[in-house]
Amino acid sequence: MTSKRVETFHQNSRLHFIGSWRARYEEFLDAKTSDASASAKNLLKKKPNHPPVIMHVDMDCFFASVATRNDEELRSKPVAVTWGTTKSQRGEISSCNYRARAFGVRAGMWLDEALRACPTLVTLPYDFSAYEATALEVYEILWAISGGEVVGVSCDEAYVDASERSAREGKDPLEVAEEIRRQVRARTGCSCSVGIGSNMLLARLATRRAKPDGTFFVAPAMERAFIAATLVEDIPGVGRTAGKKLEVFGAKTCGELLRVPVDDVRRAIGGKLAEKLLDAARGVDKTPWRVRPERKSVGAQMSWGVRCATDDIAQDFVRQLANEVSQRMQRLKIRGGRMFLKVWRAIPDVRTKRDYQGHGACDVLTRSKPMLRVSNDTEIVANEALSLLRELRVEATLIRGLGVSVNKLEGENGVASPTSKRQPTLFQMFRGDEPEAKAELNDETLDSETSDEDVIETQGEEDVANTQELTQNECDFALFNDSQAEIDSDLGRSMREAFASAARAYAWQSYELTRLSLSKRRRETYGEDEYAKRATSSATDVILAHARRSYLREGASGLSAVLDDARALCRSHELLHEKYSSQGAAFIAAWLDRVDTVERLVLVQVLLCVRELLDVPNLGLGDAAYKKRPSARPGFYEHALFRLRFVTQNDRWRPRVLARAVKRIDAHRLRNPKPEPHTPRLLFAHTTLSICIDDGLLVFHPLVHDRRQRLVRLSNPIHYNVLNQPPYAPQSHLTLPHDVHSARILPRRPNRDRPSHYTVFRDVIHSRKILRERHFVFASIRKRPRIDELHLSIRDEPVQQLWKFDPRHGSDHDRPLAALWIQYIAHNLQLSRPDSLHVKRSVRIRVLIVDERASCFDFFLVYVITRARGRDAVVERD
DNA sequence: ATCCTCCCCTAC
DNA sequence: TAAGGTAGGGGAGGAT
Ligand SMILES: Nc1ccn([C@H]2C[C@H](O)[C@@H](COP(=O)(O)OP(=O)(O)OP(=O)(O)O)O2)c(=O)n1
Ligand SMILES: [Mg+2]
Ligand SMILES: [Mg+2]
């Protein structure tokens, strides 16, 4: 049966080998760092004051080198490592030697193509255990030479911090590099290349020049020239897509790129990448040096040879993958908090050969959800994965691949894992503790980078201990306990008054009332409401700030002191008169009495500031929650206090945990069944609205079907931009195949900064100017449209394009191209607006929008232009 | 503002 | 027949 499919696949998959390498490397690291000697050595290290010397070591054509290391003759021939043979001519090339590269053969190429480029190519099989052993050997060498300052990138590639070695021993970096290369060759029989630079980026770029079997040092003096001449597409992180997007600037090198306006680059490739790239173009690399980066997810997938005749078989696959994932988690001693399922679903009608085992043209669908319980248990993990599979509702026979993974990792048995990054508990948060301190990380970071945060982190453990002790106290925190009974009796009067007066007094005392804008003049200027609003927010700010400071400084007693002060002040009316005129004082007193809402707000905020809960996300105690539903206001404080009590009982609440609890509390207390959360999925027309609109923004709430096929009205409106400027004819009737309950016309919004892929369709919509009748189907696309075939003819001249779709991930498929085409078409349609209709023009587009069958329909625009004015443009959609 | 979900890109 | 995995960063859009 399918019992060992996943296992045997993994044994044979080179991508599984390189993908799973990191997990094995983590074990290597753990073994190394648990060495007493390693940590002892770390303690001795001081902050380095010599310039950084980073080396990047990469094995030359790794798999091919291993395969040929004992065969001189083979080495002289062009060879490639692949499952295929010259006979089968099928299979993907994993690695090839430099002789083969001279013919144009590359990793990732299909064997048949490679053989066309190089008919004499020799194919060699994989030997994963040899790669593993070789990699281990190399890492042992690097570890020994650098004293553990190694950042592993892959099985054939690592960074080494050689700053100390070259400085302390006065060694030329080149000598160290040669030493590495000598040892690697001697102990593995393979050659490697070493790039040297002052940071990881430069070192890595240097390796490119060093290859094969060489060393290259980007000396500080040559950095500027070196980076300026580096091709933009060679910068790590710039791949096919970003590379293509950047092409339009005509800047091939980093030096040229720096002359392109920053905003243009940002718009083209996105903010983060732009920042990274522009840094890189100056030779700057801000990547932190992390010997043991935190693991964030664990997953297993298989999209080869997956064919499921029945649902049972599909479920069995998922089960196997889930088992794999839970076993990996158990090995890593972690548990997952969120489950992901990925399904490759074949695009129907795409015919394939009988024996074909690949996934072919697919839509890749994903679903995720929080696990019911954080776990690494085989059964639990499998069940979570299976429930996602059910949700995706993919027909079994169309499944071409499955993937199961988890993230939101935590340690086993509630013990924080060294690699986990949980949210801090509320008390920790309030005390400003660092979320988690890792012993191992402390050692590393202290020695190498040594930033302030790292130093703080090392104190984490102590603080955590303190917190635990404090937590006990906080649970019986006097202030809160005093009020507990009161809260139980629904905000007993005396308690309310006590706090209200304390709050009032404190607000008044701490704030300089002139700055609070409590002057008559201000009052007249602002008007009552605005005036009260400003005053309130200032006062509460002050209370919060002061109480927070006191609490942080002196703990519970500090806060009590603040409140005592406030109470005392409240009683001493003299003070009021001392500082202000009797008239002013009277006014302030009157104001404070008058504004009940203010008082209540202040009261609750004083209470809440005890735990700084207002700043806690998801808690539902902030202003936003208050303002959100006027209808819920009467019970708001009551709920707030109820939750607060809940939270202060112990120190196990973390924001997201609490958010879930709060939902339950509210549902219970309000006796409202919790509404099923839903994500709108599919939207199609239900009724038709004809509406006469002019220039502006049409706003309406679309109706959609949710995952369970119920009709749902989206709470967020669609803003639909309607352009109607001269010289265009006035907008006439717009047919929306929608149930639109209400529509407003607002002033037009300014254009978004950057047209996203998703807004490309919106651009197309603008072409409706040329149409007499407009008919839009609102559907959606989360995925990019993928156009398998696109025929275009302009002015009766057919411009035919046919793309071969290579569904390999990362292959040059046509989605971006499709977007470009659509933009292009839109552009052309726009040119043929009414005032230029005399131009005879015919555009015929046949578009197959594959994603219509995807599961992830959202509201968005796919257009159907049914009829164009004067047959000017015809767009059909299959 | 921030979180959640889904999707895309990149690297080996 | 061929073995198209694994993990991280990050953007868009909706919900809260
Ligand atoms: N598409 C790819 C890329 C790489 N690899 C594997 C085989 C390589 O040998 C190994 C290391 O990748 P490199 O990018 O370092 O490539 P090589 O080591 O083969 O060549 P180079 O000398 O350029 O480093 O990863 C693979 O299986 N498929
Ligand atoms: Mg290599
Ligand atoms: Mg490499």
Side-chain angles (χ1 to χ4, degrees), chain A residues 14-15 18 58-64 92-96 98 101 107-108 126 154-157 211:
Chain A
R14 111 239 187 222
L15 285 177
I18 61 179
D58 188 298
M59 302 300 287
D60 298 325
C61 50
F62 185 44
F63 290 6
E92 198 176 347
I93 288 174
S94 165
S95 179
C96 57
Y98 281 76
R101 289 184 204 191
Y126 292 103
S154 76
C155 61
D156 94 320
E157 189 175 340
K211 274 183 179 295

Side-chain angles (χ1 to χ4, degrees), chain A residues 468-485:
Chain A
Q468 241 115 56
E469 200 192 316
L470 244 174
T471 297
Q472 296 298 317
N473 299 335
E474 282 167 359
C475 292
D476 333 313
F477 179 34
L479 169 66
F480 199 77
N481 269 4
D482 284 350
S483 55
Q484 186 103 5

Side-chain angles (χ1 to χ4, degrees), chain A residues 61 74 94 141 153 162 166 193 219 229 295 307 334 338 384 413 440 457 521 579 595 602 624 684 729 746 850 866 875:
Chain A
C61 50
L74 211 47
S94 165
I141 294 166
V153 177
S166 41
S193 300
R295 171 175 283 270
R307 296 294 184 276
I334 47 178
R338 187 179 190 85
E384 297 280 7
N413 305 323
E440 183 268 343
E457 263 185 18
R521 194 169 54 75
K579 239 179 176 175
V595 192
V602 169
F684 271 113
L746 304 177
V850 173
T866 50
V875 179

Side-chain angles (χ1 to χ4, degrees), chain A residues 35 51 87 101 105 126 216 266 282 288 333 363 427 444 462 471 489 528 540 568 582 620 679 688 763 794:
Chain A
D35 255 0
K87 195 152 164 257
R101 289 184 204 191
V105 179
Y126 292 103
F216 190 87
R266 195 167 290 144
R282 294 184 174 82
K333 300 205 188 310
D363 285 316
F427 291 170
E444 299 299 338
E462 199 181 300
T471 297
S489 63
E528 284 294 331
T540 49
S582 56
T679 317
T688 298
D763 296 341
I794 297 174

Side-chain angles (χ1 to χ4, degrees), chain A residues 605-791:
Chain A
Q605 294 210 4
V606 165
L607 277 172
L608 296 188
C609 78
V610 173
R611 298 287 181 255
E612 258 194 351
L613 290 176
L614 291 182
D615 296 336
V616 175
N618 284 327
L619 186 51
L621 294 181
D623 282 350
Y626 178 75
K627 287 178 193 143
K628 184 81 180 180
R629 291 193 189 286
S631 59
R633 275 184 206 174
F636 184 80
Y637 297 112
E638 200 180 338
H639 285 285
L641 288 167
F642 188 83
R643 293 171 196 164
L644 183 64
R645 191 182 55 182
F646 202 63
V647 166
T648 48
Q649 277 164 2
N650 59 45
D651 189 19
R652 68 190 177 95
W653 300 106
R654 300 165 196 274
R656 276 192 285 270
V657 174
L658 186 60
R660 286 197 288 272
V662 163
K663 268 189 195 151
R664 285 200 301 275
I665 296 172
D666 285 354
H668 177 252
R669 302 224 354 140
L670 294 168
R671 287 189 192 83
N672 269 348
K674 195 177 89 182
E676 274 283 302
H678 76 271
T679 317
R681 285 299 155 222
L682 188 60
L683 165 103
F684 271 113
H686 297 288
T687 62
T688 298
L689 172 85
S690 286
I691 178 171
C692 187
I693 54 178
D694 203 59
D695 198 7
L697 192 69
L698 174 63
V699 182
F700 61 94
H701 296 264
L703 286 177
V704 304
H705 277 128
D706 69 5
R707 281 182 195 176
R708 290 162 196 82
Q709 300 307 307
R710 293 171 308 201
L711 201 57
V712 174
R713 181 172 179 271
L714 289 186
S715 57
N716 282 7
I718 287 183
H719 292 248
Y720 181 61
N721 223 344
V722 178
L723 296 171
N724 191 15
Q725 293 167 326
Y728 302 110
Q731 185 81 43
S732 60
H733 283 74
L734 177 69
T735 303
L736 294 172
H738 255 296
D739 203 352
V740 180
H741 295 299
S742 65
R744 290 172 294 147
I745 303 298
L746 304 177
R748 191 169 64 245
R749 270 198 307 191
N751 277 340
R752 286 275 188 79
D753 200 25
R754 172 164 82 106
S756 66
H757 305 297
Y758 310 104
T759 58
V760 164
F761 283 95
R762 215 174 270 165
D763 296 341
V764 173
I765 289 301
H766 292 164
S767 68
R768 74 187 177 287
K769 288 293 172 201
I770 63 165
L771 306 173
R772 186 185 294 125
E773 274 184 28
R774 301 154 192 86
H775 178 197
F776 301 100
V777 174
F778 286 69
S780 131
I781 308 207
R782 275 255 181 173
K783 296 171 188 294
R784 295 188 185 179
R786 189 176 58 218
I787 299 180
D788 287 335
E789 272 182 68
L790 191 138
H791 310 273

